[in-house]
Amino acid sequence: MAAPAPNTQQEMRRRNLARVLHAVADGGPRSRAAVAARIGLTRTAVSTLVDELLGAGLLVELGPGRSGAVGRPGTALALSDRGPCGIGAEIGVDHLAVCAVDLRGEVRARTAMDAANRDSDPGPVLGRLASLVEEVADEARGLGLRPAGLAVAVPGLVARGTTTVVQAPNLGWTDLDLAPHLAGNALGTGALTGSGTAVCSIDNEANLGALAELWLGGHTPPSGDFVHVSAEIGIGAAIVVDGELLRGTRGFAGELGHVPVRPEGRPCACGGIGCLEQYAGEEAVLRAAGLDPRATAAEHPGPGARIDLLATRAGEGDRAVLGALAEAGSALGTALTGAVNLLDPQTVVLGGALARLAPWLLPSLEHELGRRLAGPPPVSVSRLGPDGPLLGAAHSVVRAVLDDPLAHRA
Amino acid sequence: MAAPAPNTQQEMRRRNLARVLHAVADGGPRSRAAVAARIGLTRTAVSTLVDELLGAGLLVELGPGRSGAVGRPGTALALSDRGPCGIGAEIGVDHLAVCAVDLRGEVRARTAMDAANRDSDPGPVLGRLASLVEEVADEARGLGLRPAGLAVAVPGLVARGTTTVVQAPNLGWTDLDLAPHLAGNALGTGALTGSGTAVCSIDNEANLGALAELWLGGHTPPSGDFVHVSAEIGIGAAIVVDGELLRGTRGFAGELGHVPVRPEGRPCACGGIGCLEQYAGEEAVLRAAGLDPRATAAEHPGPGARIDLLATRAGEGDRAVLGALAEAGSALGTALTGAVNLLDPQTVVLGGALARLAPWLLPSLEHELGRRLAGPPPVSVSRLGPDGPLLGAAHSVVRAVLDDPLAHRA
């Protein structure tokens, strides 16, 4: 059945305000008349809505517009570069990062630090993250922006609709509700915005990376059906159907890293057997290349350092590394064969560390798809690099503002 | 963003008529007041809508209601048993079947015949099906019903939103648009209903089986997130997310039968290697049990005959058959491990031939899930038996009528 109609005038107004903001966000600066034409409301109705959004500091007027239409040129409307902003944060195994993105989608402030978060005590890690959030929020305020909320990307499973990290194997965190940690320090939403209306969410990094690709990447198909595969230390994926993330009942969908690819192969830390991660995860690739994962991590600490090492050696023609990456690509191809059979996506996008290593993974990956599937989907490589999850986090806050502007007025 | 609001009064009325019909369909006979309370419209508005639905022959009045409310008892409203009905048809490898289901969801007429459709010429097969459809439609008309449309279940891939069977390996049909065949004989929608408004659709049998389970089975979880696995000759699956079928870009989602479970194992007819179907499909199980598939099919023709044979022998303790079914269950468990990791469904439901063989498949299937997944979902067994796809087809027409009653008035 069709979705229920909005029941109240207030709800209708909220929707129409969001439609006006999205019309400006999707098309760049445009006149009231152009907005009215795009969303199918009268110019009078749009003018009233626009006045409210100007008053709330979400839209600004840029002076005579560039609409090209006949008659008096309209004033062009644009999203404000001084209104609400989204704060995105990322807890990586080797680093912490925070950024602020304005309504126009531009990164206005960012900071990051190397960190040793493997098997860590969550309190101090979240304390350090809180300092970085405050630093970025202060910088944003100095630019006239108002932090409207915080979204945090974590390398682990997050229970759907909650702030609980059920399992983050590389951090060593289990069944940890981040909310008390957030409330107890500067991450608290009150401290962040000075109001009670802030968005605060925790999500899996692979989910946020896929959303960033959908919103910013430029590689996703018009159908909005794709599988996004990313890797940092582990391997994650996210399934996007009709432009929406498929989250699963518990919020655990997209665990491509634990699809069996050698069903009677190596035991996996997840308790499974022959999981993809045992053949294409960072540690597996280092080991297959003849490198000791722990020693290499000690020698090359920091985010992306081992990936850089692998890319450098592969670029130099190191046979052991090339062989290890070919094997990883093949294992990825086998796991993706299963995913393609089940989901029939229009494309597959490789992001994160996989994007960096794509030149050496793709040949065996595509060979595997080709020998197993009659019509394999195209595989493309993300241009967002390792920033995907961080940008996805900040943009998720910005989109929440665009979707419900009344909750985020000054 | 939220769905757009309905733009016209006509559209609003259409939606409200559908809401009234669904309120009666979901709750059994109920009064106008109970309908109004359920859907949140005024009694006056509901009365106007009900009058229109009574006039169109979609609702009937049953006399004083059983609402239990204070005051004058209302007249109970029920869906008509003489209004529109849905015609469902199934093209099996070994049989053809057709049934008519009324608005209340009851099967009012049905017929079936054994058939040898393997590697068949589509023309004569569709001709025979057309005769069965006419027979059932005539019987329905004799009961005062009006056939509102036809939906056909086929054992193959159907291009999304079309009437084209892209590939039905066991029928031997490729890139075959059924529409010309339908238009050229009694399957034509005009001939079926005497009007131009009939629904006519072609869908994959596994999809329709899963929808039947969702609508009628009683085993699907409240979240509407489940994977439905069925088998006739091949193995099919369907993924239901939030109560909606996940169809995939081309309409090919749910191909669990071609997920690699022994990645360097047997070549598959699909062109892949080590696909589930090579270990758990009917032919594979017969072969593993020491039976020649072609000879057994010749000796035991007809729908479900080999499955009955396997079930009988397994019930008698035949070691070869028990071993073959245990191996099939294990292969199913490996493929489902991948599906669960990717989709995080709330449950898995076994339907079709798998339901019949469940007693002997489940132990090894659940053992496999248990050794590969930390929290495996429950696996339940469909009660619909092999009728799922046929019932799903007929019910899809009935639901189209309930969703858009204006298009199906007398």
Side-chain angles (χ1 to χ4, degrees), chain A residues 94 114 296-306:
Chain A
D94 299 312
D114 286 8
T296 311
E299 215 175 312
H300 302 269
R306 275 88 61 207

Side-chain angles (χ1 to χ4, degrees), chain A residues 124-138:
Chain A
V125 173
L126 293 168
R128 281 189 285 278
L129 188 67
S131 304
L132 299 183
V133 167
E134 261 318 301
E135 187 185 306
V136 166
D138 278 346

Side-chain angles (χ1 to χ4, degrees), chain B residues 49-401:
Chain B
L49 296 164
V50 163
D51 288 344
E52 187 165 356
L53 294 167
L54 288 167
L58 299 168
L59 286 181
V60 292
E61 289 183 294
L62 294 185
R66 50 178 199 197
S67 70
V70 213
R72 190 173 65 87
T75 305
L77 300 165
L79 292 165
S80 172
D81 61 353
R82 296 176 61 84
C85 68
I87 308 285
E90 185 178 15
I91 303 173
V93 177
D94 299 312
H95 76 297
L96 297 172
V98 179
C99 75
V101 166
D102 69 20
L103 287 186
R104 303 168 311 168
E106 289 186 20
V107 177
R108 302 292 295 282
R110 71 178 290 168
T111 188
M113 62 184 285
D114 286 7
N117 296 333
R118 189 183 287 274
D119 299 323
S120 57
D121 181 359
V125 173
L126 293 168
R128 281 188 286 278
L129 187 68
S131 304
L132 298 183
V133 166
E134 262 317 300
E135 187 184 310
V136 165
D138 279 345
E139 193 178 337
R141 283 186 203 105
L143 296 165
L145 292 161
R146 278 182 291 115
L150 169 70
V152 185
V154 294
L157 300 173
V158 179
R160 187 172 178 168
T162 76
T163 49
T164 294
V165 175
V166 177
Q167 202 172 43
N170 289 308
L171 302 179
W173 300 0
T174 314
D175 290 324
L176 178 74
D177 184 359
L178 301 195
H181 294 268
L182 303 182
N185 58 39
L187 282 167
T189 58
L192 185 64
T193 65
S195 81
T197 59
V199 179
C200 187
S201 66
I202 314 292
D203 205 346
N204 173 269
E205 62 174 9
N207 284 346
L208 290 169
L211 289 174
E213 192 62 35
L214 177 69
W215 295 331
L216 314 167
H219 266 318
T220 63
S223 68
D225 288 337
F226 65 101
V227 172
H228 185 261
V229 191
S230 55
E232 302 307 328
I233 306 293
I235 289 179
I239 299 157
V240 180
V241 178
D242 290 341
E244 297 273 347
L245 205 56
L246 190 158
R247 291 191 173 272
T249 299
R250 297 168 297 178
F252 300 173
E255 285 291 302
L256 189 77
H258 300 287
V259 167
V261 293
R262 309 278 181 262
E264 300 307 327
R266 295 180 201 140
C268 181
C270 79
I273 303 146
C275 301
L276 173 63
E277 206 155 285
Q278 292 303 315
Y279 301 88
E282 183 183 297
E283 289 199 2
V285 173
L286 289 172
R287 206 175 287 118
L291 299 164
D292 177 67
R294 291 287 159 139
T296 311
E299 213 174 315
H300 301 269
R306 276 88 62 206
I307 301 302
D308 282 342
L309 176 73
L310 289 170
T312 304
R313 293 213 181 161
E316 291 164 358
D318 183 317
R319 280 174 178 275
V321 169
L322 290 172
L325 291 173
E327 217 179 297
S330 169
L332 271 163
T334 301
L336 281 169
T337 296
V340 169
N341 269 304
L342 287 168
L343 300 165
D344 186 24
Q346 192 163 357
T347 65
V348 173
V349 183
L350 302 185
L354 296 182
R356 179 93 165 86
L357 298 173
W360 305 283
L361 295 168
L362 272 179
S364 59
L365 192 167
E366 290 184 327
H367 172 74
E368 207 64 50
L369 292 181
R371 77 183 189 118
R372 295 183 183 279
L373 291 166
V379 181
S380 59
V381 179
S382 171
R383 285 180 297 221
L384 297 179
D387 276 352
L390 181 66
L391 293 174
H395 275 265
S396 72
V397 177
V398 168
R399 294 183 73 92
V401 175

Side-chain angles (χ1 to χ4, degrees), chain A residues 227-300:
Chain A
V227 172
H228 185 261
V229 192
S230 54
E232 301 308 326
I233 306 292
I235 288 179
I239 299 157
V240 180
V241 178
D242 289 341
E244 297 273 346
L245 204 55
L246 190 157
R247 290 191 173 272
T249 299
R250 297 168 297 178
F252 300 174
E255 285 291 304
L256 189 77
H258 300 287
V259 167
V261 293
R262 309 280 182 260
E264 300 307 327
R266 293 179 203 140
C268 181
C270 78
I273 303 145
C275 301
L276 172 64
E277 205 154 286
Q278 292 303 316
Y279 300 88
E282 184 184 296
E283 290 197 3
V285 173
L286 289 171
R287 205 175 287 120
L291 299 163
D292 177 68
R294 292 287 159 138
T296 311
E299 215 175 312
H300 302 269

Side-chain angles (χ1 to χ4, degrees), chain A residues 84-384:
Chain A
C85 68
I87 308 286
E90 184 177 17
I91 303 172
V93 177
D94 299 312
H95 76 296
L96 297 172
V98 178
C99 75
V101 167
D102 68 19
L103 288 186
R104 303 168 311 168
E106 290 187 19
V107 176
R108 302 292 296 281
R110 69 179 292 169
T111 188
M113 62 184 285
D114 286 8
N117 295 334
R118 190 183 286 273
D119 299 323
S120 57
D121 181 359
V125 173
L126 293 168
R128 281 189 285 278
L129 188 67
S131 304
L132 299 183
V133 167
E134 261 318 301
E135 187 185 306
V136 166
D138 278 346
E139 193 178 338
R141 283 185 203 105
L143 297 164
L145 292 161
R146 278 180 291 114
L150 169 70
V152 184
V154 294
L157 301 174
V158 178
R160 186 170 180 170
T162 75
T163 49
T164 295
V165 176
V166 177
Q167 202 170 43
N170 289 307
L171 302 178
W173 300 0
T174 316
D175 289 324
L176 178 73
D177 184 0
L178 300 196
H181 295 268
L182 303 181
N185 59 39
L187 283 167
T189 58
L192 184 64
T193 64
S195 82
T197 60
V199 180
C200 186
S201 67
I202 315 293
D203 206 347
N204 172 271
E205 63 176 9
N207 284 346
L208 290 168
L211 290 173
E213 191 62 33
L214 177 69
W215 295 330
L216 313 168
H219 266 318
T220 63
S223 68
D225 288 335
F226 65 102
V227 172
H228 185 261
V229 192
S230 54
E232 301 308 326
I233 306 292
I235 288 179
I239 299 157
V240 180
V241 178
D242 289 341
E244 297 273 346
L245 204 55
L246 190 157
R247 290 191 173 272
T249 299
R250 297 168 297 178
F252 300 174
E255 285 291 304
L256 189 77
H258 300 287
V259 167
V261 293
R262 309 280 182 260
E264 300 307 327
R266 293 179 203 140
C268 181
C270 78
I273 303 145
C275 301
L276 172 64
E277 205 154 286
Q278 292 303 316
Y279 300 88
E282 184 184 296
E283 290 197 3
V285 173
L286 289 171
R287 205 175 287 120
L291 299 163
D292 177 68
R294 292 287 159 138
T296 311
E299 215 175 312
H300 302 269
R306 275 88 61 207
I307 300 302
D308 282 343
L309 176 73
L310 289 169
T312 304
R313 294 213 180 161
E316 290 164 359
D318 181 318
R319 282 177 176 272
V321 169
L322 291 172
L325 291 174
E327 217 178 295
S330 169
L332 272 163
T334 301
L336 282 169
T337 296
V340 169
N341 270 305
L342 288 169
L343 299 164
D344 186 23
Q346 192 162 0
T347 65
V348 172
V349 184
L350 302 185
L354 297 182
R356 179 95 167 83
L357 298 173
W360 305 284
L361 294 169
L362 272 179
S364 58
L365 193 167
E366 291 184 328
H367 172 73
E368 207 64 50
L369 293 181
R371 76 184 189 117
R372 296 183 183 278
L373 292 166
V379 181
S380 59
V381 178
S382 172
R383 287 180 296 222
L384 298 179

